[in-house]
Amino acid sequence: MRKGMAIAPSPPLETTSVRKPRRIALTLVVALLLLFGLDALLFRTRLYMSILEPDSSAGLLELILWREKAAQLTAGDNLVVTLGNSRMGYVPKVVDQRLRQTGYAVRTAGVAGSDPRTWYYLLRDLDPTARRYRAIVFGVDDYDDEDQAFHPDDDIRALHYCVARLRLGDAIEFASSFHSRDVEWEAFRGTVLKGIALQSDVQAFLAHPLKRIAYVQLCHRGWPEWTYNYVESSRNMVGLQIDWSTLKATYPPEMTEEQKDTVHGWLLHETYPQTGRLARYFGTWLGRTADRYRTSRTKIIFFRLPRGPLVRPDYLVKKRSSSIRELASRPNVILANEHLFDGLEHPEFFKDALHMNRDGVERFSGMVADEVARLLGPPDAPAAR
């Protein structure tokens, strides 16, 4: 080395304590990417969704979506679809008998246990152009909002119904629509990693894979016919009496405990403070659906469902808002006469306090088909093929 030449200092060596956190972080990132990739491969494709348990929440919704997408191919241009939960009693045969006189083909995409948030995501894939239907018909319990013990804005069942329909881009919006932080987190992680929401379904499949596949195939062969030919129970609530001043019920000897439970839960429940929480929820999700069809030919129609075998008096609670009536101010929204089904609000037409029996749903189905045709007016002429 020449005299006077400066010696460059050696670069400092990374210590083990510096490298270790970086390796851990990199390993975690890679592991998360692999986890998401595997989850996407299984649950964001038809790979697993095609073998969902048909009797599960997600499986039921997928069966209904599949059936109604197939019906769209042959139903013509004057197609109407109804949505609701199990209270939206419906007999397809009765409605089909009205087709010649009304000109409208009325189908049902109702899902037992579902709510307006689930209906929005179902409709988004059932009608991606927002133009396939002449009308979307919703069955609701009331046109006025009554907050009760149960809060649908925190009902995590919505995740399990529409998990197959949720996209990655829905994660934040869907999760933030829930009220509680713990439910928000459950909804967010279940939307991003669908395998978490489908964990019990996957475990059941792995326990009996061949049995599951055979059952799925059986349902795809027969489910449309089973639902079309389903016959509702003929039991009724005749003999039920309620003293509304004391909220005490008197039951006939033959009434079951299940029927009595529905009376207590649906008709004899206590009154809760009216906070506007239900109104905000309905306004959000039914409003989003109405907005989606704002520029479409499709009308949004609301029906107030028959309230029960006996009607809970209005004086028991002061309802402060009506999100459904507010929606009616929009040009594409129609409210059917709220007293249309008053004649069905009798014990002989209900199998329990919430659900109509065979006679009830047959009468209700015909009335819905006729009223939809009246509200929409003459059907469009068939399009040239």
Side-chain angles (χ1 to χ4, degrees):
M1 181 180 298
R2 294 182 181 177
K3 188 177 179 180
M5 180 177 291
I7 300 175
S10 301
L13 297 174
E14 285 189 316
T15 63
T16 302
S17 61
V18 174
R19 291 196 300 269
K20 188 174 182 180
R22 290 182 180 177
R23 289 177 180 173
I24 293 174
L26 180 60
T27 301
L28 286 175
V29 169
V30 171
L32 287 173
L33 289 175
L34 289 174
L35 177 61
F36 177 79
L38 178 61
D39 185 90
L41 176 63
L42 290 173
F43 306 117
R44 295 186 186 276
T45 67
R46 295 296 298 165
L47 188 62
Y48 187 81
M49 294 306 183
S50 63
I51 52 172
L52 283 170
E53 166 58 54
D55 296 331
S56 68
S57 300
L60 175 61
L61 187 141
E62 292 302 298
L63 274 174
I64 291 172
L65 179 67
W66 164 75
R67 183 193 64 193
E68 294 312 304
K69 291 290 283 186
Q72 289 179 4
L73 301 177
T74 58
D77 296 325
N78 294 298
L79 180 59
V80 175
V81 67
T82 68
L83 287 102
N85 54 31
S86 60
R87 297 196 66 242
M88 186 71 169
Y90 192 89
V91 181
K93 287 184 177 181
V94 172
V95 175
D96 284 353
Q97 292 170 3
R98 298 293 207 279
L99 178 57
R100 285 189 176 181
Q101 64 191 67
T102 67
Y104 290 97
V106 182
R107 304 279 309 179
T108 178
V111 185
S114 62
D115 60 11
R117 179 164 35 202
T118 301
W119 304 340
Y120 173 81
Y121 290 105
L122 171 60
L123 271 174
R124 186 177 67 177
D125 286 347
L126 182 61
D127 186 17
T129 65
R131 293 188 176 276
R132 181 61 185 92
Y133 295 103
R134 282 293 309 277
I136 309 291
V137 178
F138 292 105
V140 296
D141 294 331
D142 200 344
Y143 286 169
D144 299 313
D145 308 310
E146 181 183 355
D147 292 296
Q148 298 183 26
F150 173 72
H151 298 295
D153 61 356
D154 245 3
D155 188 0
I156 195 58
R157 289 182 301 172
L159 168 65
H160 298 283
Y161 275 109
C162 53
V163 60
R165 300 293 110 204
L166 292 171
R167 305 162 189 169
L168 186 60
D170 296 324
I172 294 177
E173 182 177 62
F174 179 73
S176 62
S177 71
F178 291 89
H179 187 78
S180 305
R181 286 293 178 88
D182 56 338
V183 182
E184 284 183 344
W185 170 242
E186 185 176 351
F188 178 78
R189 69 179 186 176
T191 306
V192 175
L193 296 174
K194 295 189 178 186
I196 296 176
L198 293 168
Q199 182 178 354
S200 60
D201 193 283
V202 174
Q203 290 173 342
F205 169 74
L206 293 176
H208 303 284
L210 296 180
K211 182 179 179 181
R212 166 74 67 83
I213 292 171
Y215 185 49
V216 169
Q217 293 173 342
L218 175 65
C219 288
H220 276 83
R221 289 194 302 269
W223 199 74
E225 183 179 352
W226 302 339
T227 53
Y228 188 81
N229 292 313
Y230 176 74
V231 178
E232 185 54 86
S233 169
S234 61
R235 71 180 183 180
N236 59 57
M237 300 291 285
V238 172
L240 171 67
Q241 297 179 3
I242 295 179
D243 182 346
W244 294 109
S245 64
T246 60
L247 292 181
K248 299 293 183 182
T250 303
Y251 304 102
E254 66 273 11
M255 192 161 290
T256 67
E257 290 303 316
E258 179 184 0
Q259 289 174 304
K260 294 177 183 179
D261 288 343
T262 63
V263 171
H264 281 275
W266 183 247
L267 296 176
L268 301 180
H269 63 80
E270 61 181 289
T271 299
Y272 291 87
Q274 299 302 294
T275 64
R277 184 168 166 177
L278 182 66
R280 289 190 293 273
Y281 172 75
F282 278 171
T284 296
W285 289 104
L286 294 174
R288 286 189 67 184
T289 298
D291 286 343
R292 188 168 180 269
Y293 287 93
R294 182 181 293 273
T295 60
S296 168
R297 69 167 187 157
T298 305
K299 299 297 183 181
I300 305 295
I301 300 176
F302 288 99
F303 283 99
R304 188 182 75 173
L305 300 173
R307 288 166 289 181
L310 299 175
V311 178
R312 185 177 164 90
D314 290 335
Y315 64 76
L316 292 177
V317 61
K318 184 177 180 180
K319 302 170 185 177
R320 299 171 180 257
S321 62
S322 177
S323 53
I324 306 296
R325 297 184 206 276
E326 290 176 7
L327 286 171
S329 63
R330 307 187 187 195
N332 64 327
V333 177
I334 302 172
L335 262 62
N337 183 343
E338 64 184 309
H339 298 290
L340 179 65
F341 303 118
D342 284 3
L344 298 179
E345 296 173 339
H346 298 285
E348 61 265 31
F349 296 126
F350 277 77
K351 67 177 182 180
D352 57 37
L354 289 90
H355 305 102
M356 288 176 284
N357 61 16
R358 187 184 308 170
D359 289 342
V361 295
E362 287 184 358
R363 293 169 185 252
F364 172 80
S365 300
M367 293 171 73
V368 166
D370 293 344
E371 185 66 5
V372 165
R374 190 190 72 81
L375 293 172
L376 292 178
D380 294 340
R385 297 297 179 184

